[in-house]
């Protein structure tokens, strides 16, 4: 079975996190690492993970992890950047 991609939800999520780094009158997104906007983005991601049923945590340097407690065995890890 192929997973379904909800494009409307994906667009809403991208727009929601990008709102955390907009500066009126300036183009683009400004979410410098460890700024209040960046940390708000990391908390936003953790909330989305928890809403999806993952156990979310942030390590001391700001990496966000979401774990699906589905039992023993190998894990899948994916990563990207929220700072922009």
């Amino acid at each position: 079975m192929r997973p379904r991609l909800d494009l409307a939800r994906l667009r809403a999520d991208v727009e929601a996190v990008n709102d955390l780094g907009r500066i009126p009158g300036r183009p683009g997104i400004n979410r410098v690492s460890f700024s209040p906007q960046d940390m708000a983005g990391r908390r936003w991601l953790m909330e989305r993970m928890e809403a999806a049923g993952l156990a979310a945590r942030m390590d001391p340097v700001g990496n966000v992890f979401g774990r699906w407690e589905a039992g023993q065995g190998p894990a899948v890890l994916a990563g990207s950047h929220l700072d922009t």
Side-chain angles (χ1 to χ4, degrees):
M1 183 173 133
R2 245 180 125 169
R4 267 190 70 231
L5 179 60
D6 184 337
L7 291 177
R9 186 181 72 191
L10 176 59
R11 179 179 298 254
D13 282 348
V14 169
E15 289 175 2
V17 75
N18 284 346
D19 282 343
L20 298 171
R22 294 195 198 279
I23 298 174
R26 286 189 156 177
I29 310 301
N30 187 348
R31 201 167 43 244
V32 177
S33 292
F34 303 110
S35 67
Q37 295 83 4
D38 176 51
M39 298 311 289
R42 293 169 194 269
R43 288 189 301 274
W44 174 88
L45 178 59
M46 291 175 67
E47 289 169 6
R48 295 295 294 146
M49 288 176 167
E50 290 168 348
L54 302 174
R57 69 179 178 86
M58 186 184 324
D59 71 11
V61 295
N63 295 306
V64 174
F65 299 88
R67 183 173 180 92
W68 180 28
E69 301 294 348
Q72 299 298 317
V76 175
L77 181 64
S80 74
H81 291 266
L82 284 173
D83 57 317
T84 162

